[in-house]
Amino acid sequence: MTAGNPDFLFTSLSFWWFMAAVLAGFSFLYRYRTARNRFLLLCSLFFYFETAGAAFFLLLASVFLNYGCGWLIDKSHKEQTAGTAKFFLGIGILLNLSLLSYFKYADFLNRLVYEWLPAMPGGAEAGLFGDLPFLNTLVLPVGISFFTFQAISYLVDVHRRQMPFCRNLFDFALYLSFFPQLVAGPIVRARDFLPQLQRHYQLSTKEFSFALFMVVCGLVKKIAIADWIAQWINPVFENATLYTGFEHWMATYGYAMQIYCDFSGYTDIAIGLAACLGFTLPVNFRSPYKADSFTDFWHRWHITLSTWFRDYVYIPLGGNRHGVPRMLLALLVSMTLCGIWHGAALNFLFWGLLHGLFLAIEKLTGLYRKPKTTWGRVLKTIVYFHLICLTWVIFRTDSLDAAADWYLGLFQTTPLATMGGIIGHYKSVFAVILLGFALHFLPQSLQDNVKLLFARAPWIIKALVCLLIGVLLILTRSAAPQPFIYFSF
């Protein structure tokens, strides 16, 4: 279960009232660097309190914990005691992971071990430690996976001397709590974010237009595509046996588009809002379904997470520097941990392991290399697109058994007459899915030209476009706000 307030999402009216107040206050303070940063810190803390409730105090604890560990690591470096610095780094990582593990994995591990030891007394619900209410009712604080990983990257970078210790507690607190990306990323490195706090605010008309374009695109992805698809997808996955094989395939494709538009939509909005406040956040998606290998996919999907695991897990485990067996082990461990990061369930673990196996096969066989011909690239992209869609099934279903049943359902035959009736009944949903993929597979140059055209358009045209899109979003939004999928991670 995730702690969070669905009425304070990017897609809710209450958030945009909050954002209007932020911009109003910011407009008076942006010239004064210290006042601007303190104001944004207060806004960020308020946002997290509204979003996560009591978990707000957990965020504060993380700020003080990691600030203290960073200070001790820096002090040890100055005293030239490398062993002590490494000790405090280990303590910091251990405390961060302990906090994350308790809230995210304690109940899962309790029940998992009990299933492996069925002879233990206590009944089906007992678990390893018995029927402990504080485990069974644990609520996952929203955003904890993201700000914990940011904190760990900060401590490691300070220890590696890739960035200086941040002496200003308020600046460090803003780094961990910056509200546009706090709940669902992108994961930001301190060495990229903290220097921006010292810059004077600058935002050209062109940059503001790009920021507005990103926000609008993100809202369209989330409300007009992801949420619209979700209304049909969710019942199919929850009652798979009631649907035909054709509907299984359509829901598989639909979920691939839903999760992409949902997550990249959040990221687009976060990047756009941050840009309005003078901050540059890293790119997190680059048309992932254009990938022609799993290696390429992870260079395009949730880039800040994949690079985090590369820099802080894969490379420290040896990477590709100590022979093929060590490299494959590092790859499998990294991707399995990546799967578990997404959720405390065996299906997430297996999803990560499966991606790790595919990546290992590509390393051994050279399948990650680009085909030399255009048709070769097209064919390879089609094959990998389907492989990626099929692995999403494991990610979406509630258990491995449910995933296995779903795969069996894909092979159910569907009479043409029935298929025609299904298409007629769900024509609006299927049209949105097709539209989503059509937009996704547009050439990058064309997408960039549309963005540039919007930036160069007169303000009256920009206003009319935003107004029309606003009306479209109101007409297409679902009855109740749909939480962002990565809100739960």
Side-chain angles (χ1 to χ4, degrees):
M1 189 189 311
T2 303
N5 178 8
D7 295 326
F8 212 68
L9 304 174
F10 284 173
T11 53
S12 67
L13 186 59
S14 57
F15 172 81
W16 291 104
W17 281 116
F18 162 77
M19 192 63 206
V22 171
L23 291 175
F26 188 81
S27 65
F28 290 103
L29 299 172
Y30 71 90
R31 294 182 182 88
Y32 313 102
R33 189 172 57 204
T34 301
R36 173 199 70 188
N37 294 343
R38 301 297 179 271
F39 173 72
L40 290 177
L41 173 59
L42 290 174
C43 293
S44 296
L45 293 176
F46 174 80
F47 170 82
Y48 194 69
F49 181 77
E50 284 294 313
T51 305
F56 166 81
F57 298 101
L58 188 65
L59 175 61
L60 288 183
S62 180
V63 169
F64 287 110
L65 162 69
N66 289 286
Y67 180 84
C69 287
W71 178 78
L72 290 169
I73 293 169
D74 181 65
K75 184 173 182 291
S76 300
H77 280 319
K78 288 179 178 177
E79 295 173 353
Q80 298 184 344
T81 52
T84 306
K86 185 174 290 188
F87 170 77
F88 286 123
L89 171 64
I91 290 295
I93 293 175
L94 178 63
L95 290 174
N96 276 291
L97 292 181
S98 296
L99 205 60
L100 177 63
S101 298
Y102 174 72
F103 284 100
K104 196 164 185 174
Y105 306 112
D107 184 47
F108 166 68
L109 291 173
N110 180 38
R111 298 188 181 282
L112 181 63
V113 174
Y114 178 72
E115 290 177 3
W116 287 350
L117 302 173
M120 291 181 62
E125 299 299 322
L128 175 61
F129 302 109
D131 188 11
L132 301 178
F134 70 87
L135 284 182
N136 299 335
T137 59
L138 274 180
V139 176
L140 178 66
V142 63
I144 188 173
S145 298
F146 290 91
F147 68 72
T148 298
F149 269 31
Q150 288 194 182
I152 291 174
S153 70
Y154 165 77
L155 294 180
V156 174
D157 287 351
V158 169
H159 179 262
R160 292 175 177 173
R161 305 192 188 199
Q162 294 178 344
M163 67 160 295
F165 165 65
C166 178
R167 298 189 175 282
N168 191 310
L169 175 61
F170 298 107
D171 285 355
F172 179 71
L174 180 55
Y175 160 64
L176 279 192
S177 65
F178 188 52
F179 75 88
Q181 51 79 227
L182 172 61
V183 171
I187 299 171
V188 180
R189 307 288 179 92
R191 61 176 181 256
D192 297 325
F193 184 86
L194 289 173
Q196 297 186 58
L197 295 178
Q198 309 310 315
R199 296 189 321 209
H200 291 290
Y201 177 77
Q202 290 182 334
L203 187 69
S204 66
T205 301
K206 183 178 180 181
E207 289 170 335
F208 178 76
S209 298
F210 284 161
L212 181 61
F213 184 82
M214 294 293 288
V215 172
V216 170
C217 284
L219 289 171
V220 170
K221 285 180 179 179
K222 171 61 178 168
I223 298 174
I225 300 179
D227 286 358
W228 190 260
I229 295 173
Q231 295 178 82
W232 178 69
I233 291 291
N234 292 340
V236 179
F237 273 96
E238 289 165 8
N239 302 279
T241 56
L242 303 179
Y243 294 87
T244 64
F246 176 69
E247 286 167 304
H248 277 69
W249 278 107
M250 291 299 100
T252 300
Y253 295 135
Y255 183 69
M257 181 48 54
Q258 180 202 352
I259 192 171
Y260 167 70
C261 286
D262 191 285
F263 191 20
S264 70
Y266 180 99
T267 300
D268 288 348
I269 298 170
I271 291 173
L273 294 181
C276 290
L277 299 171
F279 294 89
T280 301
L281 298 184
V283 173
N284 214 21
F285 292 91
R286 290 193 181 96
S287 303
Y289 298 133
K290 293 180 181 178
D292 56 17
S293 65
F294 278 93
T295 302
D296 191 22
F297 175 75
W298 282 103
H299 290 160
R300 296 168 175 268
W301 175 273
H302 204 347
I303 299 167
T304 57
L305 179 68
S306 60
T307 54
W308 192 98
F309 274 101
R310 180 198 66 196
D311 293 343
Y312 302 110
V313 179
Y314 175 74
I315 292 176
L317 286 176
N320 56 5
R321 297 168 297 166
H322 300 287
V324 173
R326 183 79 170 267
M327 177 193 69
L328 297 179
L329 177 63
L331 196 56
L332 291 174
V333 170
S334 299
M335 291 309 301
T336 301
L337 291 175
C338 178
I340 296 173
W341 178 89
H342 285 85
L346 287 177
N347 60 310
F348 291 114
L349 184 152
F350 189 74
W351 175 80
L353 177 61
L354 188 60
H355 272 258
L357 288 171
F358 277 121
L359 290 172
I361 291 170
E362 289 178 358
K363 288 285 188 182
L364 291 173
T365 60
L367 281 172
Y368 62 89
R369 296 189 179 94
K370 299 287 184 184
K372 296 180 179 180
T373 65
T374 300
W375 283 111
R377 287 194 294 271
V378 170
L379 179 60
K380 199 177 178 195
T381 299
I382 292 172
V383 170
Y384 271 93
F385 167 71
H386 283 83
L387 287 175
I388 291 165
C389 286
L390 291 173
T391 58
W392 279 133
V393 170
I394 301 171
F395 190 95
R396 175 59 180 83
T397 49
D398 296 330
S399 66
L400 294 178
D401 289 339
D405 291 340
W406 185 272
Y407 289 130
L408 290 174
L410 293 173
F411 294 98
Q412 295 178 14
T413 57
T414 306
L416 287 177
T418 304
M419 192 181 300
I422 293 170
I423 294 174
H425 186 66
Y426 295 115
K427 58 181 179 295
S428 61
V429 178
F430 293 164
V432 170
I433 294 172
L434 287 173
L435 175 63
F437 281 118
L439 293 174
H440 180 273
F441 282 100
L442 286 175
Q444 187 60 48
S445 58
L446 181 58
Q447 296 180 36
D448 293 338
N449 287 337
V450 171
K451 183 178 178 180
L452 191 60
L453 182 64
F454 178 86
R456 291 175 175 174
W459 279 105
I460 185 64
I461 301 298
K462 292 188 182 79
L464 286 173
V465 169
C466 292
L467 179 62
L468 289 173
I469 290 177
V471 172
L472 170 68
L473 296 180
I474 291 172
L475 293 175
T476 57
R477 71 175 295 135
S478 55
Q482 298 288 324
F484 287 90
I485 293 174
Y486 270 67
F487 199 65
S488 301
F489 304 144

